[in-house]
Amino acid sequence: MGKGVLIRSIIILIPMISIGCILMPQEERNPGPVAEGGVEVESFLEYRAITVRWQGDIQANEYVLQRARDEIDSVGPYTEVYRGRGTRYVDRKVEDDIRYVYRLDIIQKGNVHEGKQTGIGVGNSAEVDLNEPNNRMEDATALTSFKRGTMYYFRFSDGRELTDIDWYKVKVGGGKSVYLQIQEDGVVGMTTLWMEIAGKEPFLAEQGKWYELRNEAKTEKEWFITIYPDVESYVAEKMTGGTVRGYTIIRSDSGALPPDNGNTGGNGNGTGDGGGTQPGDGGGTDNGGGTDNGGNGTDNGGGTQPGDGGGTDNGGDTDGNGTDGGGGTQPGDGGGTDTGGNGTDNGGGTQPGDGGGSGGSIQEKSELFERDETGRFIFFLNEQRYQGTSYTFWKYLDQQWEVETGMSMELVKESGNYFGGYGFFFAGGNIEGYGESMLVLQIQKDGNYTVGKAVEGDYYEVIVPWKNSVYLRKGYGVKNTVGVKWDSQSRHYIITLNGMEETRFQDMKAPVCSGRRAGVVAVVTSIEQFPQTPVKVGYK
């Protein structure tokens, strides 16, 4: 009886529902996709790849993923990178240190619904951080010996930030101590990493210093440590850009404060050990006779800088002179495997500073350097007529080059090809029989520097070939303070990078520069991508 009633009720209700559907207004029947186009974007999980995910929508016929470059002060035009029914896409066509914005459009019955939300990501060739995800306390990585990590910070044109925070956990036995040390790649003195232990006041970690965790209790205690970037060291204030840095966090249970030259990893001659202040020290900066060395260290050749005493990368490898240079630090310097005297790519300067040239012809273009509201000079160029040829542009400063005090300048490159140098010239002036002559000091985004001499609009002499310095910060939007002064006793010029003496040199070849004029310099390479990416450099 009850069953029959139920069946009759269903038969009666079905027509009523059908009639109701016919009478419903069109906008109620077709409300459009539920999803708003929101995407979840993850960077640094794979080598030079960005992973984008989104929620599925049963009303969607197709998804279209759009991507745009984040420029200096706006987002560039969107282009389609994926179309289909999937809900995940790995974007492998990304460039190093370029910021990207992603938008998901949804197609429903032939209509395109543009996504209202966007996600941000960065392409980078930094090593994959195997500790991730450890951005929350509940995901903290257990630290039992040492861990390699990466730290990053990027600021986008709309003010959004892409930043990292790493959590670690350390167990300390009752009445015992554990010691922690941070070693950031390519840093001397203070690191660019803030460290917070067990919720106490955070502090900027000092390179190679041991910090004690003392457990006064009788039972085992677990400590939580957070590491995050010092923003001002990654991107200049009010600017876009950013970079990625590598570091090692080390734990010691020796029961006494370990010495600074202790064995941090344990082999003596292996890839990651040695006995110096960097994991892997002992002979060269990184290895000390390890697997890739040939006796003097991976990056050194027995010297403290890449390329000193041998080749750029080896200094005693199977070629005897180094993989990249025969004594030079960049392809084209000195006659190594990639060079042929002037360099495969250079011959006259298609790559700044290598072999023959340092950025094409040198031209005074004062109008390209303008002061902003803070008093800084800003070089900005985004004209396609400069495409395909290298140029070095410069502008005289009002103040003179003072031999007694030297000069120092804060430099920031916000965009442009990473080969393009930027910096300043000094000791400039007109020399009889030669013309306008000056000494030029430049750096690059990837931590290289060079010194050369320019005479009458041409590069006349390379005094210090391009070298990589551990004192230079790498990345776009990153501040580097570069200085030069004259030492009257040794009669050498002294170059300082971020307050540390990097090298000394003499100007010996005629014409010897001795003028009092100084100015700012910017290189525009032959492989700039105008108008997508302008060249922008700040000087203060």
Side-chain angles (χ1 to χ4, degrees), residues 515-539:
R516 291 298 183 95
R517 305 204 72 177
V520 288
V521 173
V523 171
V524 177
T525 73
S526 61
I527 49 178
E528 301 295 344
Q529 296 184 4
F530 301 136
Q532 294 92 337
T533 306
V535 178
K536 185 177 181 182
V537 183
Y539 310 79

Side-chain angles (χ1 to χ4, degrees), residues 24-37:
M24 284 177 64
Q26 177 68 21
E27 58 270 20
E28 292 184 39
R29 285 196 301 109
N30 183 19
V34 176
E36 297 290 333

Side-chain angles (χ1 to χ4, degrees), residues 178-208:
V178 163
Y179 302 91
L180 300 181
Q181 184 185 96
I182 294 290
Q183 295 182 0
E184 184 178 359
D185 300 350
V187 168
V188 176
M190 301 304 293
T191 71
T192 66
L193 303 173
W194 286 93
M195 194 173 183
E196 185 176 329
I197 300 176
K200 295 182 180 179
E201 194 70 22
F203 56 91
L204 201 60
E206 185 176 343
Q207 179 81 339

Side-chain angles (χ1 to χ4, degrees), residues 84-103:
R85 290 285 301 156
T87 57
R88 177 179 179 271
Y89 176 72
V90 180
D91 190 358
R92 303 187 189 281
K93 296 181 179 180
V94 296
E95 298 180 44
D96 205 16
D97 279 346
I98 299 298
R99 306 181 305 278
Y100 295 98
V101 180
Y102 293 89
R103 186 189 78 205

Side-chain angles (χ1 to χ4, degrees), residues 61 81 130 237 253 262 376 382 392:
N61 302 120
V81 293
L130 300 178
E237 187 178 5
D253 295 87
R376 293 185 312 158
N382 195 21
T392 298

